[in-house]
Amino acid sequence: MASLFDKLREGLAKTRDSLTDKFNEVFGLAVTIDDDLYDELEEVLITSDVGYDTSVDIIEKLKKKVRTEHINDVALLKDAMRDVLAEYMTADEPFDTTGPMVILVIGVNGVGKTTSIGKLAHKYRADGKKVILAAADTFRAAAIDQLEIWAKRAGVEIIKHQEGSDPAAVVFDAVQAFKARKADVLICDTAGRLHNKKNLMNELEKINRVIDKEIGDARKYSMIVLDGTTGQNAIVQAREFKSVTNLDGIILTKLDGTAKGGVVFSIKQTLDLPVLYIGVGEGIDDLQEFDPKAFAQVVI
């Protein structure tokens, strides 16, 4: 059976081939650590969808590390680069999955929101947690049916109403079930798009009020699902949602289908949000907790 690291390597093959080949070429030709080498490394980052500002910032941190640790051997620079990238992506406060929690999942249609919820439910259930899903994306046709299919795959309970019903009412019933069943995790699917930003904001506010009033001591997290294949456009989407609701972290999907995995590096700096989970395949167990150190090790 493949290890998580092997699955990560396989899932990030396109990003790895893109970034690793470019880095290997730069490191392989370098003789001394100088401004030309830094410029070439910065160019590799920029052309790998890391983003200009983030690329410049990463190279500045690399220069500081080289100076502080008195690194003068090109052969040691790759490991230094890995360390810088891992530190760059590490969250200040790790996502805590101990104890009861409610997770609000947000994202536009087509990013893999429903699929991610199903995989997340499967992951938590495999960890021995009792999971309930709330089908509160009541406006998109077939969203409830899709979530129900994933609930069956994951072997978890789903709370649902009819299509077009009040999402906050669905969440209310789900929270009551969460408390009555003494469940560990409640994952709420929410609308990714309504008629306009104000409607979306109002809907999310209503749902948040219900959760805050009813969950008691359970922790609440809001996660946004972003499509890794869209690169820097994923950051634009996250900014839009962040302007109308609080976000605690990101689920980045479809990294197995893109060479734009470099966007991971710019997300934390640009949005000040940690990547919590990444999708590296279509299987039910292909949603992995994001490990910055392993990610840096794989792509460089």
Side-chain angles (χ1 to χ4, degrees), residues 40-67:
E40 289 182 45
L41 291 173
E42 186 178 290
E43 185 177 341
V44 168
L45 292 170
I46 292 170
T47 57
S48 299
D49 226 53
V50 173
Y52 177 80
D53 290 340
T54 303
S55 300
V56 170
D57 196 32
I58 287 171
I59 296 303
E60 285 303 314
K61 284 178 167 54
L62 179 62
K63 288 178 181 179
K64 182 178 179 181
K65 185 177 182 69
V66 167
R67 287 194 304 270

Side-chain angles (χ1 to χ4, degrees), residues 176-234:
Q176 303 315 310
F178 171 72
K179 293 190 294 186
R181 321 277 203 270
K182 292 182 170 55
D184 301 297
V185 184
L186 171 62
I187 308 175
C188 305
D189 189 11
T190 66
R193 275 276 190 266
L194 292 179
H195 301 301
N196 57 49
K197 189 185 288 188
K198 189 174 188 302
N199 281 359
L200 177 63
M201 180 172 63
N202 290 341
E203 202 57 64
L204 292 173
E205 281 180 353
K206 279 174 62 180
I207 290 172
N208 275 305
R209 281 199 302 272
V210 167
I211 294 172
D212 291 341
K213 183 179 178 182
E214 300 292 334
I215 63 171
D217 294 332
R219 291 186 308 281
K220 183 186 75 172
Y221 293 106
S222 294
M223 298 184 191
I224 183 168
V225 180
L226 300 175
D227 182 343
T229 65
T230 62
Q232 293 294 310
N233 285 335

